[in-house]
Amino acid sequence: MAAARTPRGAAGAGGTKEGKGSSRRSGAGRGGPLRAIGRALHLPLTGPARGIRRVTHAHGAGESGLGRLIELHGVNGAGDVMITVALASTVFFSVPTDEARGRVALYLAITMAPFTLLAPVIGPLLDRVPHGRRVAMASAMMARALLALVLSGAVVTGSIEMYPAALCVLVASKAYGVVRSAVVPRLLPPGFSLVKANSRVTLGGLLATGVAAPIGAGLQQIGPRWPLYGAFVIFMAGTFLSFSLPPKVDSAKGEDTALLAADERHLHGPHRKPVKRPGLRTVGPAVTHALAANAAVRCLSGLLIFFLAFLLREHPLTGQSAAVSLGVAGVAAGAGNALGTAVGAWLRSRAPEIIVVTVVACVLGTALTAAVFFGAVLVACLAAVAGFAQALAKLSLDALIQRDVPELVRTSAFARSETLLQMSWVLGGAIGIALPLNGTFGLAVGAAVVAAGWLTTVRGLLDSARRGGAGRPRAG
């Protein structure tokens, strides 16, 4: 009986195993179509996500953490453009042109003017907490997520709280930018220059902005709140993504608080005696001349944005509606900016003085041509060339700062230069709002702004290029 039972037990065990295997195979057969459907539904999302991850993590950026920062900056750009779409529709498109000019001027006065005063304070304030950079970036994202909800009520009611909320959004965005500039050097892959890394990060933000802008416009068609709800979701994702950056970005090893100075006795690290903080003029002639040229281009950018916005709304391009005309100019500027960033990454830091002189001269020539022969094609060309020049000239300025400014004070130089460029953009925007809606006259004023910046800097930049930066200050 034992012999009889043993085969039965073996057979039973075998039968049980076979039954389980059959059940597993039949379950797999039943789940196969469901899994195939699931894969088909996920593919439109996971496919592009994998492609983006391969690009952002290429050339060692994944191992160093730079890829994560590129993705975070893309999230930052997408959220900002959602808020921009919502505010532009409320402040600009929802009222007649004359009233819109007043509301846009009020927006600039209430938000941008205080922002330019607060911007220089943000960098030094954040420098005091170098060990909390991930927390600072996450806080900037979280703040904008909550402010998007505040703005979602204000854009419907038109209440005055929209303006202080927009100001706080700008301040949070600036805080993120300052921390990001301090984080990039910590995440450089082997063989990467700072300029190449910055161009990668900037290009990632531009591409994300280009994708998010039409999505925001589509959400705007549903209702004025919806782009802000989209911004809330995006910034909340950015809050969590901030903590995915490597812990090394919170380290302040090798950094110190130092002052910009031209004389060598002030370039040896921390100061034992208090000294007066010098201005940007002390970083060397190449940097200051390149900064002035960049300021002229940034001023033109602000002027074109506001001037063309009102001009094309009142006098659209031939055969096009106002919305399409503005879209053409915006796409041209964005494409030019992206191309300039890509070219900057390719050129790296080769002859930055010559690059600045050349691209500003190109902008000047295009602006003069567009002013004399005003037309749809030339307006689009000017927008594209201005975007290209702004991106490439800024990367060349970054290269000069990296070359000429001591490492300990480089972050301060980046922050101060960016503040001056933002103030130039605000000034250009104010000029654009005040100009009469005459295409030839407005573009002539823009050309004059660029000419002033180019003529006052070309000689100094060419002299610096001939010397090869020999006269720049050096750290001891």
Side-chain angles (χ1 to χ4, degrees):
M1 290 185 65
R5 280 196 300 271
T6 301
R8 279 200 304 271
T16 303
K17 289 177 183 177
E18 184 179 353
K20 288 180 180 178
S22 302
S23 176
R24 191 180 296 114
R25 284 194 298 272
S26 64
R30 288 194 301 271
L34 293 177
R35 280 197 294 270
I37 293 172
R39 282 195 297 270
L41 292 175
H42 286 152
L43 188 61
L45 297 176
T46 58
R50 289 196 190 102
I52 292 170
R53 178 59 58 89
R54 279 195 298 270
V55 172
T56 58
H57 285 53
H59 305 113
E63 291 78 6
S64 71
L66 182 63
R68 294 277 186 181
L69 182 62
I70 295 172
E71 294 167 359
L72 178 63
H73 192 60
V75 169
N76 176 78
D80 276 346
V81 80
M82 288 283 187
I83 291 181
T84 301
V85 167
L87 292 179
S89 300
T90 303
V91 175
F92 179 72
F93 289 107
S94 62
V95 294
T97 302
D98 290 338
E99 185 179 345
R101 289 176 80 132
R103 294 183 70 170
V104 170
L106 179 63
Y107 178 83
L108 272 180
I110 294 180
T111 60
M112 292 294 188
F115 174 65
T116 56
L117 298 177
L118 287 172
V121 180
I122 297 172
L125 197 62
L126 291 172
D127 283 343
R128 297 180 182 276
V129 284
H131 296 284
R133 286 169 181 156
R134 288 185 297 174
V135 173
M137 298 177 92
S139 299
M141 294 284 180
M142 175 69 80
R144 282 179 287 174
L146 298 177
L147 288 166
L149 293 182
V150 174
L151 286 168
S152 67
V155 295
V156 174
T157 61
S159 63
I160 195 67
E161 69 184 15
M162 177 177 67
Y163 295 102
L167 171 61
C168 292
V169 167
L170 288 170
V171 172
S173 181
K174 172 65 177 176
Y176 162 83
V178 170
V179 179
R180 190 210 76 191
S181 68
V183 164
V184 173
R186 290 281 172 193
L187 301 177
L188 292 181
F192 256 59
S193 68
L194 187 59
V195 173
K196 183 177 180 180
N198 276 328
S199 64
R200 281 272 189 102
V201 174
T202 302
L203 188 58
L206 287 172
L207 293 176
T209 298
V211 172
I215 297 175
L219 291 174
Q220 182 68 30
Q221 299 303 312
I222 302 176
R225 296 175 181 261
W226 284 94
L228 295 163
Y229 292 153
F232 170 79
V233 173
I234 290 171
F235 283 129
M236 286 302 298
T239 301
F240 293 104
L241 188 59
S242 299
F243 291 107
S244 71
L245 294 174
K248 62 184 176 182
V249 304
D250 289 332
S251 171
K253 184 179 179 181
E255 299 177 11
D256 218 320
T257 303
L259 303 179
L260 296 177
D263 54 302
E264 292 188 3
R265 68 188 182 88
H266 287 151
L267 294 176
H268 295 282
H271 297 282
R272 292 186 175 88
K273 297 180 180 179
V275 295
K276 184 178 179 181
R277 181 180 291 270
L280 271 172
R281 65 183 182 278
T282 63
V283 297
V287 173
T288 52
H289 284 126
L291 182 57
N294 271 268
V297 175
R298 194 67 68 95
C299 186
L300 174 69
S301 174
L303 186 153
L304 288 178
I305 287 174
F306 290 97
F307 176 70
L308 291 179
F310 291 111
L311 178 69
L312 296 179
R313 179 178 174 176
E314 200 71 14
H315 307 290
L317 300 177
T318 306
Q320 305 294 339
S321 66
V324 171
S325 300
L326 289 170
V328 168
V331 168
N337 205 307
L339 180 60
T341 303
V343 171
W346 174 66
L347 291 174
R348 300 185 182 180
S349 56
R350 301 170 189 168
E353 297 98 336
I354 301 298
I355 293 174
V356 173
V357 169
T358 302
V359 296
V360 178
C362 290
V363 174
L364 177 57
T366 307
L368 288 171
T369 304
V372 175
F373 306 102
F374 183 80
V377 175
L378 287 174
V379 166
C381 286
L382 177 58
V385 172
F388 177 86
Q390 179 178 316
L392 193 50
K394 178 60 169 64
L395 288 173
S396 298
L397 173 63
D398 290 349
L400 286 169
I401 292 175
Q402 184 179 11
R403 187 194 74 186
D404 291 2
V405 178
E407 184 177 0
L408 285 176
V409 296
R410 203 169 285 154
T411 300
S412 297
F414 278 121
R416 293 187 187 187
S417 64
E418 186 59 36
T419 298
L420 180 59
L421 295 180
Q422 287 169 350
M423 293 174 68
S424 302
W425 186 88
V426 172
L427 175 61
I431 295 172
I433 294 172
L435 286 173
L437 298 182
N438 181 295
T440 297
F441 179 74
L443 297 188
V445 172
V449 169
V450 178
W454 188 76
L455 292 173
T456 56
T457 59
V458 59
R459 182 176 177 180
L461 287 170
L462 292 177
D463 286 345
S464 175
R466 278 194 294 268
R467 293 194 305 267
R472 64 183 182 271
R474 296 181 182 274

